[in-house]
Amino acid sequence: MPSILLATLMLFSTLAISEPLKSAQFKRQHIKAMSVVAPIWDGYTNKDGSGLYWDIFRAIYEPTGIKVATKNVPWNRAMKMVAKYHTYNAIVGEYRDTEEQVIFPIYPIDVEYMSALSKNKSGLEWQGLASLKGKTIGWIKDYEVIPKGKRNFKLKEFRNIEQGVKLLNAGKIDFLIDEWDEIAAVMQKNKMPSENYLINEMPEGTDVYAAFSIDNLSRELIAIYNERIPELVASGELTKIYEKWDTGEMPESVLNLAH
């Protein structure tokens, strides 16, 4: 048999064998482990592997025989590891309107509320979005906290929260809007006396999700996620996890599964 023909037949034989194996590896009975990454968020993704988000992932996957490995990595690097390099299967703490190359399960994992930081001025009473009218508001570029059509204030964007705090202290913005944990961290870092500031919760929360790499393995992991969340709600186990940590909030779409 000519060597070229023999090599061709061997190639097709290899492909015929490897293709079923390739598709079979994504069947759930073959999945033995999955990995999820996020920054260290106290009470959510603790370094020791405890926390609300880590407990939810374990409750979803480990009863199905899939071991969950958790890792703490700063956000930007963690996202690259999931969206670009597929080093980890999922990252937790993302919004659905992201431009990152990731895919999502049906159900969110938490609800996040932005906070509005202002200087403590006597007589200033927080009235939700009405308090922003006619003021100068600052948030990180591209956050889009409030849609353009609903803005009755002047917006000043900045690159990071440190720059935002400087603008607030200089009187160039009236309110700084960001996530509560980011505000708390920068206040602690800069030794900002809490009595000199007011921190108020924005009225509308945003659902937070686990985001997965775009590949067949992740699609199967997402299918398991979507099946297990209703089961955990029905058994009451998910409620117990949220109550245990008392940090996050069960999203409305998940709560509705109980009715």
Side-chain angles (χ1 to χ4, degrees):
M1 182 181 294
S3 59
I4 295 177
L5 178 59
L6 177 62
T8 302
L9 289 173
M10 289 178 66
L11 174 62
F12 278 110
S13 176
T14 302
L15 289 174
I17 294 171
S18 64
E19 188 58 35
L21 290 176
K22 184 178 179 182
S23 60
Q25 68 180 312
F26 298 115
K27 292 181 180 178
R28 69 182 59 181
Q29 65 264 31
H30 298 288
I31 304 173
K32 302 302 180 185
M34 68 89 60
S35 56
V36 57
V37 65
I40 296 175
W41 292 320
D42 189 33
Y44 296 87
T45 53
N46 297 331
K47 188 176 181 179
D48 64 1
S50 66
L52 175 66
Y53 296 164
W54 293 160
D55 277 4
I56 291 173
F57 263 82
R58 279 190 287 267
I60 291 170
Y61 291 104
E62 296 202 341
T64 71
I66 299 173
K67 185 72 176 175
V68 175
T70 63
K71 179 73 173 179
N72 295 113
V73 174
W75 180 262
N76 289 340
R77 184 152 54 95
M79 180 56 78
K80 284 184 180 179
M81 288 177 167
V82 173
K84 185 175 181 179
Y85 301 114
H86 297 198
T87 309
Y88 296 93
N89 301 118
I91 183 171
V92 63
E94 182 61 299
Y95 304 118
R96 250 198 187 286
D97 61 357
T98 182
E99 295 182 358
E100 300 288 350
Q101 296 300 302
V102 289
I103 50 179
F104 296 91
I106 295 171
Y107 304 107
I109 199 170
D110 198 5
V111 183
E112 188 172 82
Y113 292 89
M114 292 286 190
S115 293
L117 178 69
S118 63
K119 299 293 290 291
N120 190 357
K121 300 174 183 177
S122 104
L124 182 63
E125 183 178 350
W126 178 249
Q127 297 177 334
L129 295 181
S131 296
L132 307 182
K133 183 177 181 180
K135 303 291 195 304
T136 302
I137 312 302
W139 63 59
I140 290 177
K141 183 175 174 56
D142 297 329
Y143 255 28
E144 302 298 326
V145 178
I146 299 171
K148 290 182 179 179
K150 295 184 178 180
R151 297 174 193 170
N152 53 6
F153 52 80
K154 180 181 178 182
L155 175 63
K156 191 172 184 66
E157 295 180 307
F158 41 82
R159 292 187 301 276
N160 55 61
I161 192 170
E162 295 275 1
Q163 185 183 20
V165 166
K166 290 178 181 178
L167 292 172
L168 180 68
N169 288 333
K172 294 183 178 180
I173 59 175
D174 299 298
F175 289 95
L176 183 160
I177 298 178
D178 207 318
E179 299 166 15
W180 154 243
D181 53 351
E182 295 292 336
I183 290 174
V186 77
M187 289 184 70
Q188 182 178 17
K189 179 182 177 182
N190 292 290
K191 297 181 171 57
M192 297 162 60
S194 58
E195 62 270 18
N196 292 350
Y197 299 88
L198 291 174
I199 302 175
N200 296 284
E201 192 175 271
M202 296 289 286
E204 296 180 4
T206 303
D207 284 344
V208 175
Y209 289 79
F212 290 74
S213 301
I214 301 177
D215 54 41
N216 289 335
L217 173 57
S218 289
R219 290 185 180 93
E220 189 59 41
L221 290 171
I222 286 173
I224 296 169
Y225 191 109
N226 291 336
E227 292 170 17
R228 289 284 296 150
I229 287 294
E231 293 173 1
L232 292 170
V233 171
S235 69
E237 185 177 351
L238 193 61
T239 298
K240 289 178 182 178
I241 295 173
Y242 281 94
E243 289 176 347
K244 170 187 174 183
W245 289 101
D246 193 28
T247 48
E249 177 181 325
M250 193 182 295
E252 185 177 356
S253 61
V254 178
L255 279 169
N256 289 341
L257 294 171
H259 304 304

